């Protein structure tokens, strides 16, 4: 027995055992059911890409116009207009560069010419029926203009007006800074920085008929190095006078709020009709209030893990326009502990916090406490209107209200998420969340919010949260993980078109488009469709297809809540088909005694657990194969390390998902004993000397180039025993082992042919002859199998594994 081969297999075995021991087989809840690579996505026609221009980048500012069927994208030095049907079909672009003078000034100021001294488009907002308002960094000199897009889709106008306005307080100077803006009724609300140094951060209102207005300057109680993530208008009552603007941002914790440096996520509010104060806070907001957003999980040691780095927010509308659900994506601040979470907030909770105690402290060395004194009337933060305030404009506010508002911009209580915890937490992965959009999907058994989460690795996660028993017990089901950019890059923009049923993604390197659902990828059986639990999809009697709640067809089978194919599909097909027997792969495999073999079996669904059963012959009792020294269960299949003659028999690979068992594969293994093989191999010395290396004999490591390679790999592995390289190595070993087996089969085939040739010339021992005949049939069969398997393996590399 080759000791090197033995060691390698042992090493792989140990690693696999460690993975199994760590519970990888048991905790599959956080694993995406389907994982589609960039290649999978392209080849299955589920991805359309715009690969970007050589002279542009940062495709980060999106404006979706469903009526005109266009996606307008702001990037470095360009504005694009894409067709929503297919972004690669007909798009137009407008170059918008900073002037050479500005670029020179920017360079002289010590900025990086190519990365900073360009015009990065940061604001793209609908202005009126025919024009958009657009602003860019203008090489550290913000500029704005109007972009004509026409009234109707047929107008097909896309033209930048030559008129350039000052972009200060609208777009940041520095392209790296996070800003958020929204244009409502001709006025632009923007959270941004308004100076070259990037120190004067504020929430501005510019444009329109009023004097520009902003937050108090250089007061860290108001804003402390904020990074803005979103701006939204949310009505407070049926009276538009009460309309409020909400800003979502993160900032440094206020002095005295936290020991050391910390980031806090915030929600800020303003009245849309705030005109500033009369004597104090002139042209400053008088209704600004902010509160901390908490997204944390309790730790076992009593210390909560906080997700404070707010990355993105999405407002999911409900029947009541006053109460959208706020979905927010967070990551951790820690460099060591990488994690992401999604938390949901209700407007009722947010309003309750803004109506609660103000944060107060008596001086720089005091603690922040809830303000206990008398709050002046009208309560700061209330909008001037007939509904609540009984005053007409903020300019009429009593001085004591304005004074109080100025020194108490923060609320004492934080806003906790719905159910007091995140709906999704991811900590064991090498990526972090960056973006989120949510779609409300009508399914047979109710309405579901399907989340599309973008990551910093160019992937999208499709997640549905399903109530287990009540609203308070949500089960998060990770349906798919898809790679949508050709290389790992952070997803920085995301828009969902309900009309097109498409998702649009922006990154540094380009724009991608993908459908919201791909029901056909789930499989060709009712059970598979049902197990997928994708609210967009249902079994229509013949295939897994898009579910439309309107079509009242009785044959539609869908069960999002339970994903139970037994109740949904059992009457449709006979039991065999239901349990997957119809698509059962039945194959024969030959192994050589004392060598190892790998029975490949991995379910299409990454959520399914696999287990193996063995029976000696068809009528014998089946027994489960447990991982032990010789049998190693992996996610890819079963590895049998040292084959015994008594291992011959039938191996059944079963997938269990959601309590539903499917037999995926039936392998009949026959172990050939070494003597006979040796016998065969040595019969023809010439053939044996051919460039074929029997996998089981690797002990002298200098023998052939192949062996040398192996030896080198092995040594490098010993020097760098990291888990991932061992994993990769084992993958390679398995691949090579397959190749070796293939070569061996070919060799035997050659031997066989040679024997047959010899037979015609001399008399042979009849027993050997018979034996050789039998083997010949077997090896021929094996070779056929190998061919078939190669074809399949090839197919499998492209498409998700078909069951
Ligand atoms: C989009 O357009 C490109 C170029 O015309 C075409 O190759 C591709 O098939 C289209 N994709 C879809 C999904 O329509
Ligand atoms: C960038 O390159 C494209 C062609 O690839 C060209 O149409 C465009 O005008 C260029 N933009 C600038 C600002 O030079
Ligand atoms: C929209 O605004 C632009 C820029 O101010 C102006 O030229 C255009 O006439 C306006 N269009 C309409 C329909 O008001
Ligand atoms: C197979 O391995 C066993 C145990 O190590 C050994 O006793 C036996 O001789 C080996 N068989 C052959 C043919 O090498």
């Amino acid at each position: 027995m080759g000791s090197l081969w033995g060691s390698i297999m042992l090493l792989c075995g140990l690693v696999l055992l460690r993975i199994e021991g760590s519970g990888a087989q048991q905790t599959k809840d956080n694993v995406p059911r389907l994982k589609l690579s960039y290649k999978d996505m392209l080849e299955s026609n589920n991805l359309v890409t715009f690969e970007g221009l050589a002279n542009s980048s940062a495709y980060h500012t999106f404006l979706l116009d469903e009526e005109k069927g266009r996606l307008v994208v702001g990037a470095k030095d360009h504005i694009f207009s894409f067709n929503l049907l297919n972004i690669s079909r007909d798009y137009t672009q407008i170059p918008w560069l900073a002037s050479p003078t500005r670029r020179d000034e920017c360079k002289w100021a010590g900025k990086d010419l190519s990365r900073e001294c360009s015009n990065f488009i940061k604001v793209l907002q609908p202005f009126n029926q025919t024009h958009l308002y657009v602003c860019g960094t203008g090489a550290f000199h913000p500029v704005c203009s109007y972009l004509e897009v026409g009234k109707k889709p047929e107008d097909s106008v896309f033209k930048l007006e030559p008129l350039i306005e000052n972009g200060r307080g609208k777009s940041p100077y520095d392209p790296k800074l996070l800003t958020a803006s929204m244009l409502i009724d001709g006025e632009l609300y923007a959270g941004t920085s308004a100076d070259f140094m990037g120190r004067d951060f504020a929430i501005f209102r510019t444009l329109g008929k009023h004097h520009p207005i902003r937050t108090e300057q250089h007061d860290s109680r108001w804003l402390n190095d904020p990074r803005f993530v979103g701006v939204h208008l949310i009505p407070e009552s049926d009276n538009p006078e009460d309309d409020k603007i909400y800003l979502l941002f993160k900032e440094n914790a206020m002095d005295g709020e936290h020991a050391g440096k910390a980031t806090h996520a915030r929600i800020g509010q303003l009245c849309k009709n705030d005109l500033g104060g009369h004597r104090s806070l002139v042209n400053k907001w008088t209704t600004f209030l902010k509160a901390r957003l908490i997204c944390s999980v309790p730790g076992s040691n009593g210390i909560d893990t906080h997700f404070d780095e707010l990355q993105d927010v999405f407002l999911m509308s409900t029947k009541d326009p006053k109460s959208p659900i706020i979905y927010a994506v967070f990551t951790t601040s820690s460099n060591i502990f990488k994690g992401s979470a999604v938390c949901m907030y209700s407007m009722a909770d947010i309003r309750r916090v803004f109506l609660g105690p103000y944060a107060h402290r008596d001086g720089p060395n005091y603690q922040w406490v809830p303000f206990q004194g008398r709050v002046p009337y009208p309560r700061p933060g209330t909008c001037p209107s007939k509904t609540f305030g009984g005053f007409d404009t903020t300019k009429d506010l009593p001085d004591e209200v304005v004074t109080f508002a100025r020194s108490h911009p923060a609320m004492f209580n934080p806003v906790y998420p719905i159910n007091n915890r995140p709906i999704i937490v991811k900590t064991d992965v090498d990526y972090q969340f960056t973006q989120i959009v949510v779609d409300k999907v009508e399914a047979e058994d109710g309405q579901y919010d399907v989340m599309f989460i973008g990551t910093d690795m160019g992937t999208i996660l499709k997640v549905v949260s399903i109530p287990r028993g009540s609203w308070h017990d949500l089960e998060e089901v990770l349906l798919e993980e898809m790679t949508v950019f050709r290389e790992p890059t952070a997803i920085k923009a995301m828009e969902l078109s309900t009309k097109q049923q498409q998702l649009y993604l922006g990154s540094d390197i380009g724009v991608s488009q993908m459908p919201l659902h791909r029901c056909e990828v789930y499989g060709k059986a009712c059970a598979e469709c049902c197990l997928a639990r994708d609210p967009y999809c249902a079994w229509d009697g013949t295939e897994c297809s898009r579910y439309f709640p309107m079509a009242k067809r009785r044959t539609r089978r869908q069960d999002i809540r339970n994903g139970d194919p037994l109740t949904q599909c059992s009457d449709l097909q006979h039991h065999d088909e239901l349990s997957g027997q119809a698509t059962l792969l039945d194959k024969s495999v030959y192994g050589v005694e004392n060598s190892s073999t790998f029975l490949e079996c991995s379910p299409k669904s990454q959520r399914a657990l696999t287990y193996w059963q063995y029976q000696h012959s068809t009528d014998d009792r089946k027994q489960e194969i447990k991982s032990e020294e010789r049998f190693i269960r992996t996610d890819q299949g079963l590895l049998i390390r040292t084959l015994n003659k008594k291992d011959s028999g039938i191996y059944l690979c079963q997938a269990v998902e959601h309590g539903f068992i499917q037999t995926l594969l039936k392998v009949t293994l026959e172990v050939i004993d070494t003597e006979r093989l040796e016998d065969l191999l040595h019969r023809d010395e010439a053939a044996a000397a051919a460039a074929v290396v029997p996998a089981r004999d690797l002990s002298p490591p200098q023998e052939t180039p192949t062996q040398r390679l192996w030896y080198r790999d092995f040594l490098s592995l010993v020097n760098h025993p990291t888990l991932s390289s061992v994993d990769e190595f084992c993958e390679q070993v398995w691949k090579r082992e397959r190749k070796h087996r293939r070569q061996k089969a070919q060799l035997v085939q050659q031997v066989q042919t040679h024997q047959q040739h010899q037979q015609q010339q001399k008399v042979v021992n009849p027993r050997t002859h018979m034996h050789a005949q039998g083997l010949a049939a077997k090896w021929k069969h094996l070779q056929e199998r190998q061919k078939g398997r190669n074809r399949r393996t090839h197919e499998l590399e492209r498409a998700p594994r078909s069951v």
Side-chain angles (χ1 to χ4, degrees), residues 15 76 186 195 271 323 353 383 393 405 416 441 451 504 569 588 714 751 769 788:
V15 171
K76 176 189 172 187
D195 65 340
C271 290
S323 306
V353 167
C383 302
T393 149
Y416 289 98
V441 185
M451 287 167 264
Y504 305 89
C569 309
S588 300
F714 180 63
V751 172
H769 184 186

Side-chain angles (χ1 to χ4, degrees), residues 441-456:
V441 185
E442 210 63 63
E444 186 78 24
D445 57 359
Q447 209 176 46
Y448 295 93
D449 285 357
V450 179
M451 287 167 264
F452 293 89
I453 301 167
T455 73
D456 59 353

Side-chain angles (χ1 to χ4, degrees), residues 433-467:
F433 297 169
T434 56
Q435 291 278 315
I436 188 169
V437 295
V438 187
D439 193 19
K440 198 173 276 308
V441 185
E442 210 63 63
E444 186 78 24
D445 57 359
Q447 209 176 46
Y448 295 93
D449 285 357
V450 179
M451 287 167 264
F452 293 89
I453 301 167
T455 73
D456 59 353
M457 296 292 278
T459 57
I460 301 290
L461 309 179
K462 179 173 169 182
V463 188
V464 57
S465 59
I466 298 169

Side-chain angles (χ1 to χ4, degrees), residues 282-417:
V282 178
N283 296 324
K284 309 270 170 66
W285 302 106
T286 59
T287 55
F288 176 68
L289 291 176
K290 66 178 181 183
R292 184 175 174 197
L293 288 177
I294 300 268
C295 184
S296 67
V297 283
S300 49
N301 51 3
I303 301 167
D304 288 1
T305 300
H306 278 274
F307 297 85
D308 286 317
E309 297 284 340
L310 181 66
Q311 301 291 341
D312 192 29
V313 284
F314 183 85
L315 260 61
M316 182 81 232
S317 55
T318 64
K319 279 196 206 79
D320 177 6
K322 298 188 287 294
S323 306
I325 300 281
I326 297 179
Y327 279 86
V329 163
F330 298 86
T331 57
T332 48
S333 304
S334 162
N335 292 328
I336 311 146
F337 174 69
K338 256 184 141 191
S340 311
V342 177
C343 276
M344 264 188 330
Y345 302 91
S346 80
M347 283 310 296
D349 290 341
I350 291 166
R351 292 194 178 105
R352 195 171 307 121
V353 167
F354 283 126
L355 287 174
Y358 298 88
H360 173 83
R361 68 172 180 175
D362 288 326
N365 297 321
Y366 289 80
Q367 292 242 304
W368 288 96
V369 293
F371 180 73
Q372 305 280 3
R374 192 189 67 88
V375 174
Y377 184 86
R379 186 186 158 89
T382 312
C383 302
S385 89
K386 313 267 172 314
T387 325
F388 302 111
F391 59 109
D392 291 336
T393 149
T394 52
K395 291 200 195 265
D396 294 344
L397 285 171
D399 285 347
E400 59 162 351
V401 171
V402 177
T403 309
F404 187 90
R406 179 179 206 152
S407 55
H408 295 91
M411 305 314 298
F412 183 77
N413 292 327
V415 181
Y416 289 98

